Amino acid sequence: MRTEVLLPQWGMGMSEGTVVGWLKKVGDEVTEDEPLAEIEAEKVTETLEAPETGKLVEILVEAGETAKVRTVLAIIESE
Amino acid sequence: MTQMTYIGAIGAAQREALTADERVVVIGEDVEANVYGTTGASRQRAEEGDFVQMFGKNRVRNTPISEEVIAGAAIGAAMTGLRPIVDLSYSSFLYLAMDQFVNQAAKSRYMFGGQASIPVVFRSAMFYSLNAGAHHADRPYPMFMNVPGLKVITPASPADAKGLLLSAVESDDPVLCFEAVPLWGTKEEVSEEEYRIPFGVARTVREGGDVTIVAISGSVMDAVAAADELAEEGISAEVIDPRTLVPLDSEAIVKSVEKTGRLVIAEPAHRTCGAAAEISAIVAEEAIHALRGPILRVTAPDMQIPFSPVLESLLYPTKEKILDAVRRVCGEAPQEKRSGEPKAYADAKDAPQ
């Protein structure tokens, strides 16, 4: 099963976020709720957590790039 | 100079105003806890703490959740010597205090024969294009343009937000500052010195000779993106940001239209009686001789704002909608241009509509 990792809208005023850095790389096993990336939004820097347990198979938004809320940032492949 | 976000620049302006003049106070719901990110230390000054630590509870004060009380208390405080900055959070909440704005703030200087002044700034943020629902997404600044006695400002960049807000604090009239939340994260180099941007002086964001695009608030960035794309096609667009809607720099707009002969106006508010309607009327009255095509407005339609992200995103001006409007205006009236017809204009006439 492929799970899309979306950029959450953490606050009502949040329209986009910048990936400060990925804490996991493609090929890494991740557990649900495990920190995946640091995201800088308008007001805060937040930790993005894995929505699913599995393998991180794709990173679509690289560190330093900015994306709108609800953009697919990465893909997790699980059993 | 330092990199500041729009919201950071607002916080910097409030801090500078509180530091410069002890009559300045900040009141609003949850300003003590820095909920909105404008009453705290910036990242560079985190060790100084929030405004409450810096200036004390006497000057940074939480209020009950009652907009009429907040506005009324601020007006009274202003009459008796303070210079309040009021954070009303969402622009949609201004309606709760309508009597205070329209009957008290706007009229008191006149009705008391100038014996009282109302040096108060009412800040609020327009949470549009953020799926905040119909109760939070309003852009109601045109309503307040229709009330004599209120100044209305709509900063569209971090540097403008800081400079206009400092001018607002020093104004002896009530000022309503409408901040666009989609701009909160925009960054630019902003001077750390105190500076003021005078009211009633428009900013020419891009210079051009073929078409004037007047853009307001959050639509300025879309207009600039459109102008950059048009430049590649050979259409030279002038982008003007009025910065303050009351007072309005109509002279700058009229002069630009006299130069370009074409006008497109983009704003996130609704169409009927919006700022774009007023600007259209002024240009029609004062520069009809210069117009070589219709005046086009790119606005939100007269509809409630849906919660759905997909539906909501269709409503506001975008770069694409501004481009369409400009192409329509430039494809009109094949008259001889004073400065010679640009190549793209000739191409556009033959392009399928």
Side-chain angles (χ1 to χ4, degrees), chain B residues 78-151:
Chain B
M79 280 188 190
T80 51
L82 293 179
R83 305 185 80 86
I85 304 173
V86 184
D87 191 331
L88 285 157
S89 66
Y90 291 71
S91 299
S92 305
F93 302 165
L94 295 177
Y95 312 138
L96 280 297
M98 216 61 184
D99 180 65
Q100 293 300 324
F101 292 129
V102 179
N103 272 326
Q104 313 307 337
K107 294 177 183 174
S108 289
R109 290 195 83 180
Y110 168 77
M111 290 180 75
F112 300 145
Q115 294 177 84
S117 58
I118 319 283
V120 53
V121 183
F122 297 102
R123 289 182 41 242
S124 66
M126 305 179 284
F127 281 71
Y128 69 96
S129 148
L130 294 156
N131 344 114
H135 275 156
H136 296 109
D138 283 0
R139 293 84 54 232
Y141 55 85
M143 279 184 210
F144 294 91
M145 291 170 69
N146 194 249
V147 180
L150 299 177
K151 290 177 175 168

Side-chain angles (χ1 to χ4, degrees), chain A residues 14-72:
Chain A
M14 180 174 168
S15 55
E16 54 185 28
T18 304
V19 179
V20 179
W22 285 94
L23 306 171
K24 297 282 176 187
K25 55 188 190 298
V26 171
D28 284 0
E29 294 294 333
V30 297
T31 316
E32 190 174 349
D33 296 339
E34 195 181 1
L36 267 189
E38 292 290 320
I39 309 283
E40 187 187 354
E42 281 83 350
K43 288 187 192 175
V44 290
T45 303
E46 267 287 347
T47 306
L48 174 73
E49 292 167 346
E52 185 63 65
T53 300
K55 185 190 279 196
L56 188 65
V57 292
E58 272 184 77
I59 288 179
L60 301 163
V61 178
E62 296 294 343
E65 289 179 7
T66 301
K68 295 253 173 258
V69 291
R70 285 182 294 280
T71 301
V72 182

Side-chain angles (χ1 to χ4, degrees), chain B residues 242-266:
Chain B
R243 303 205 280 201
T244 65
L245 296 170
V246 179
L248 177 68
D249 189 355
S250 52
E251 194 184 335
I253 296 168
V254 167
K255 265 194 184 151
S256 174
V257 173
E258 283 177 334
K259 176 174 70 172
T260 65
R262 301 181 179 91
L263 176 61
V264 169
I265 309 158

Side-chain angles (χ1 to χ4, degrees), chain B:
Chain B
M1 298 293 271
T2 181
Q3 276 275 320
M4 277 191 210
T5 59
Y6 183 90
I7 198 162
I10 291 163
Q14 295 199 138
R15 185 176 42 78
E16 286 170 22
L18 281 159
T19 306
D21 185 343
E22 63 180 12
R23 295 171 300 170
V24 174
V25 296
V26 172
I27 67 168
E29 295 158 19
D30 273 332
V31 291
E32 291 175 24
N34 189 22
V35 162
Y36 301 108
T38 54
T39 52
S42 62
R43 283 183 194 173
Q44 293 94 335
R45 295 190 192 74
E47 72 282 355
E48 289 177 31
D50 284 349
F51 281 13
V52 174
Q53 279 91 43
M54 286 189 225
F55 304 106
K57 279 213 176 192
N58 238 3
R59 299 182 63 203
V60 183
R61 184 68 69 88
N62 282 351
T63 59
I65 303 177
S66 170
E67 280 69 21
E68 189 166 19
V69 165
I70 299 168
I75 293 164
M79 280 188 190
T80 51
L82 293 179
R83 305 185 80 86
I85 304 173
V86 184
D87 191 331
L88 285 157
S89 66
Y90 291 71
S91 299
S92 305
F93 302 165
L94 295 177
Y95 312 138
L96 280 297
M98 216 61 184
D99 180 65
Q100 293 300 324
F101 292 129
V102 179
N103 272 326
Q104 313 307 337
K107 294 177 183 174
S108 289
R109 290 195 83 180
Y110 168 77
M111 290 180 75
F112 300 145
Q115 294 177 84
S117 58
I118 319 283
V120 53
V121 183
F122 297 102
R123 289 182 41 242
S124 66
M126 305 179 284
F127 281 71
Y128 69 96
S129 148
L130 294 156
N131 344 114
H135 275 156
H136 296 109
D138 283 0
R139 293 84 54 232
Y141 55 85
M143 279 184 210
F144 294 91
M145 291 170 69
N146 194 249
V147 180
L150 299 177
K151 290 177 175 168
V152 178
I153 66 175
T154 50
S157 76
D160 279 11
K162 189 178 131 169
L164 289 169
L165 203 50
L166 283 176
S167 292
V169 171
E170 287 172 8
S171 163
D172 284 337
D173 293 304
V175 178
L176 270 62
C177 178
F178 290 90
E179 296 153 15
V181 178
L183 296 174
W184 269 4
T186 55
K187 287 181 189 161
E188 68 179 350
E189 290 290 321
V190 178
S191 168
E192 294 208 60
E193 303 294 309
E194 274 186 46
Y195 64 90
R196 282 147 191 81
I197 293 172
F199 285 7
V201 181
R203 169 173 70 120
T204 304
V205 193
R206 288 280 187 282
E207 292 203 350
D210 295 328
V211 57
T212 301
I213 307 173
V214 175
I216 292 157
S217 185
S219 294
V220 173
M221 59 177 178
D222 302 314
V224 168
D228 291 346
E229 190 157 322
L230 288 161
E232 290 171 18
E233 299 173 22
I235 296 176
S236 142
E238 183 146 292
V239 178
I240 293 183
D241 170 10
R243 303 205 280 201
T244 65
L245 296 170
V246 179
L248 177 68
D249 189 355
S250 52
E251 194 184 335
I253 296 168
V254 167
K255 265 194 184 151
S256 174
V257 173
E258 283 177 334
K259 176 174 70 172
T260 65
R262 301 181 179 91
L263 176 61
V264 169
I265 309 158
E267 65 165 336
H270 296 290
R271 188 173 177 84
T272 299
C273 297
E278 178 61 24
I279 291 165
S280 304
I282 290 169
V283 170
E285 284 174 345
E286 296 182 21
I288 193 85
H289 54 276
L291 285 171
R292 305 140 73 76
I295 299 170
L296 288 188
R297 288 176 285 163
V298 183
T299 66
D302 294 335
M303 284 171 62
Q304 301 309 348
I305 301 303
F307 180 80
S308 152
V310 178
L311 292 175
E312 189 187 9
S313 65
L314 300 172
L315 294 186
Y316 309 111
T318 57
K319 179 187 78 174
E320 285 70 27
K321 289 182 190 175
I322 295 169
L323 286 172
D324 286 349
V326 168
R327 292 194 184 108
R328 274 180 60 197
V329 174
C330 289
E332 292 281 340
Q335 301 168 21
E336 201 52 31
K337 264 186 68 80
R338 277 160 297 181
S339 56
E341 198 175 90
K343 180 178 173 300
Y345 173 75
D347 294 346
K349 277 190 303 193
D350 305 328
Q353 291 299 309

